[in-house]
């Protein structure tokens, strides 16, 4: 049985990935400081799978405590590194907190891996590393650039990981560049739980549930078919399965886009949510959000060709599962 250390495993994508790993027979160890999550998500994953997770409430900024985890858990085969701060707007306001947490946390983790001989790591990167991409759909080989401190941390972490692999031929690094993860596990037991949502779908979910009065559409004058921004939304369970495929087939440094290859506009997303949830969902057009681009969708074939991994769930499933989670857990895990 392979053993995987999941940093940030109590969070949104980490909890779904831990569930997939347990179901596929992996042993899962989670390290998380719960700064943006709740231990309840781990309990629910255990309940859903009927399997145990070893959980350490540890901050990656605390190198000694991180090393203690790796020493206590010998024979870790791979690490999936989700733990990071991820709010773009906040990163502009508080850049040092973002650089410190995301970069120092990653360096501590890599040092601890080196000291204990763990050589395989899958990293949560983001489409944000393409900045304002010129070529759409964007291939993995496109020029990179970030437009905010959060994006800079993702770019830097990609570079640090790649340099570490260059220096150590035993090391395998897979960088997964996620597009827009949405939805929840079909049980409705785990899902995304932001108190103050920044991303579109969690905001729409909370409007549908009556927690917020209306959704603001950030601009309808983009050069897109209906004037609103177009993104590639991917079901979080498809994304979780991509992580399992990645750790099952590590080989040097690899970089993959993880998306579906199909883009939807803001208006299309809201309309689908209206139809599936039966909620009215008031919407108001407002100014563009600073830093937004008109359209960002990936070339999504490489991960299919090399890892045999393809997104199976469509928009209806994404929204049905998001709504199931939201309506079943109006306060997320905070009840
Ligand atoms: P999340 O906030 O739900 O999960 C991140 C987890 O990391 C949280 O549980 C948090 O408590 C933990 N954490 C943060 N800093 C830590 C530290 N110093 N030590 C220990 N634990 C720490 O976010 P998510 O949506 O699940 O995202 C997971 C990863 O995927 C992040 O790296 C994020 O940048 C990346 N990503 C997310 C999206 C998205 O839309 N959700 C898109 C692209 C990339
Ligand atoms: C955002 C981040 C990106 C990050 C990703 C996942 C920015 C500029 N980009 O991507 O770095 O990796 O989240 O965390 O923040 N929208 C509205 N109203 C809302 C919210 C969003 O109209 O209340 C629109 C946006 O303008 C965009 C689309 O919905 O066109 C998707 O937005 P969002 O969910 O925030 O994702 P991204 O901007 O693609």
């Amino acid at each position: 049985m392979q053993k995987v250390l999941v940093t940030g495993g109590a969070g949104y994508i980490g909890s779904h990935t831990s569930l997939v790993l347990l179901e596929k027979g992996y042993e899962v160890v989670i390290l998380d400081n719960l700064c943006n999550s709740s231990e309840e998500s781990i309990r629910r994953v255990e309940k859903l799978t009927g399997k145990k997770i070893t959980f350490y409430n540890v901050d990656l900024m605390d190198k000694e405590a991180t090393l203690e985890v790796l020493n206590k858990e010998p024979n870790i085969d791979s690490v999936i590194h989700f733990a990071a701060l991820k709010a773009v707007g906040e990163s502009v306001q508080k850049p040092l907190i973002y650089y410190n947490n995301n970069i120092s946390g990653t360096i501590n983790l890599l040092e601890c891996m080196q000291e204990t001989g763990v050589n395989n790591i899958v990293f949560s990167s983001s489409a944000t590393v393409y900045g304002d991409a010129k070529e759409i759909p964007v291939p993995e080989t496109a020029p990179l650039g970030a437009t905010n401190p959060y994006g800079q941390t993702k770019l830097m972490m990609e570079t640090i990981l790649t340099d570490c692999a260059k220096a150590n031929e035993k090391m395998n690094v897979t960088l997964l560049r996620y597009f827009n993860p949405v939805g929840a596990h079909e049980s409705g037991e785990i899902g995304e739980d932001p108190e103050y949502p920044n991303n579109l779908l969690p905001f729409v979910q909370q409007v549908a549930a009556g927690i917020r009065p209306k959704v603001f559409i950030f601009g309808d004058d983009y050069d897109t078919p209906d004037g609103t921004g177009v993104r590639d939304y991917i079901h979080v369970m498809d994304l979780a399965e991509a992580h399992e495929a990645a750790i099952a087939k590590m080989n040097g440094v690899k970089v993959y886009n993880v998306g579906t290859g199909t883009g939807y506009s803001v208006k299309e997303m809201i309309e689908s949510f209206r139809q599936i949830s039966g909620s009215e969902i008031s919407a108001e057009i407002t100014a563009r959000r600073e830093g937004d681009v008109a359209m960002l969708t990936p070339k999504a074939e490489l991960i299919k060709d090399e890892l045999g991994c393809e997104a199976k769930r469509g928009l209806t499933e994404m929204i049905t599962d998001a709504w199931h989670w939201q309506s079943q857990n109006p306060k997320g895990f905070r009840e």
Side-chain angles (χ1 to χ4, degrees):
M1 182 162 61
Q2 273 207 44
K3 186 164 169 178
V4 184
L5 174 67
V6 183
T7 76
Y12 171 47
I13 305 169
S15 55
H16 289 80
T17 302
S18 297
L19 182 144
V20 167
L21 292 173
L22 289 169
E23 280 178 342
K24 295 242 177 191
Y26 292 80
E27 185 180 345
V28 173
V29 176
I30 289 180
L31 180 159
D32 199 304
N33 66 358
L34 305 180
C35 70
N36 195 38
S37 52
S38 152
E39 204 174 331
E40 176 63 14
S41 67
I42 299 176
R43 301 294 151 247
R44 293 199 187 177
V45 170
E46 288 183 325
K47 201 176 97 191
L48 286 167
T49 56
K51 297 190 177 158
K52 277 296 295 168
I53 290 172
T54 310
F55 171 56
Y56 293 93
N57 186 343
V58 162
D59 192 329
L60 282 177
M61 299 291 287
D62 183 345
K63 190 187 158 191
E64 248 174 60
T66 304
L67 187 59
E68 215 178 297
V69 172
L70 277 114
N71 280 325
K72 265 198 206 153
E73 297 290 340
N75 311 322
I76 287 174
D77 297 285
S78 327
V79 174
I80 306 183
H81 181 32
F82 292 106
L85 298 175
K86 63 162 187 176
V88 173
E90 190 183 52
S91 81
V92 176
Q93 306 300 322
K94 303 173 184 168
L96 291 178
I97 292 180
Y98 272 69
Y99 285 115
N100 206 9
N101 188 76
N102 293 1
I103 307 291
S104 306
T106 300
I107 292 174
N108 283 344
L109 173 67
L110 287 165
E111 285 179 348
C112 294
M113 288 171 62
Q114 196 174 46
E115 285 171 39
T116 54
V118 179
N119 289 316
N120 297 317
I121 182 163
V122 173
F123 175 64
S124 295
S125 192
S126 164
T128 193
V129 300
Y130 295 118
D132 192 357
K134 298 286 169 283
E135 187 183 346
I136 301 289
V138 61
E140 285 86 349
T141 49
L144 303 179
T147 55
N148 54 67
Y150 164 74
Q152 292 288 2
T153 70
K154 289 288 167 198
L155 266 182
M156 285 179 197
M157 291 184 282
E158 285 200 358
T159 307
I160 292 167
L161 284 157
T162 307
D163 285 345
C164 287
K166 276 187 202 152
N168 174 3
E169 60 178 25
K170 285 197 199 135
M171 196 164 174
N172 297 305
V173 170
T174 301
L175 310 175
L176 297 182
R177 294 181 181 151
Y178 315 158
F179 279 67
N180 294 60
V182 296
H185 185 255
E186 61 179 3
S187 64
E189 287 288 316
I190 54 171
E192 192 168 12
D193 178 30
E195 206 169 344
Y196 305 104
N198 297 301
N199 297 119
L200 178 66
L201 245 264
F203 206 100
V204 172
Q205 277 164 229
Q206 294 193 1
V207 175
I211 299 167
R212 293 177 193 280
K214 60 179 152 185
V215 54
F216 297 97
I217 297 176
F218 297 149
D220 68 346
D221 56 352
Y222 283 106
D223 185 14
T224 59
D226 67 15
T228 65
V230 171
R231 297 290 184 275
D232 184 294
Y233 297 89
I234 176 165
H235 196 294
V236 67
M237 288 302 292
D238 281 322
L239 181 57
E241 287 165 10
H243 289 80
E244 194 279 322
I247 54 170
K249 213 171 180 178
M250 302 221 50
N251 182 16
V253 179
K254 297 283 177 187
V255 187
Y256 300 110
N257 286 336
V258 198
T260 64
T262 306
Y264 292 99
S265 75
V266 176
K267 281 187 176 166
E268 285 173 317
M269 294 301 284
I270 296 172
E271 191 46 43
S272 297
F273 216 105
R274 281 189 185 117
Q275 281 172 18
I276 288 169
S277 66
S279 302
E280 203 175 303
I281 311 183
S282 302
E284 183 184 322
I285 313 284
T286 55
R288 292 180 177 193
R289 180 173 66 180
E290 206 182 319
D292 270 355
V293 296
M295 184 176 297
L296 190 57
T297 58
K299 270 204 193 316
E301 289 82 24
L302 191 63
I303 191 163
K304 183 176 158 202
D305 295 346
E306 293 195 359
L307 300 184
C309 176
E310 193 175 11
K312 298 190 281 285
R313 299 160 180 90
L315 186 61
T316 301
E317 231 166 324
M318 296 180 209
I319 293 183
T320 303
D321 292 338
W323 179 233
H324 187 200
W325 152 254
Q326 178 69 59
S327 46
Q328 212 167 277
N329 304 270
K331 291 186 184 150
F333 296 118
R334 291 182 302 279
E335 288 175 288

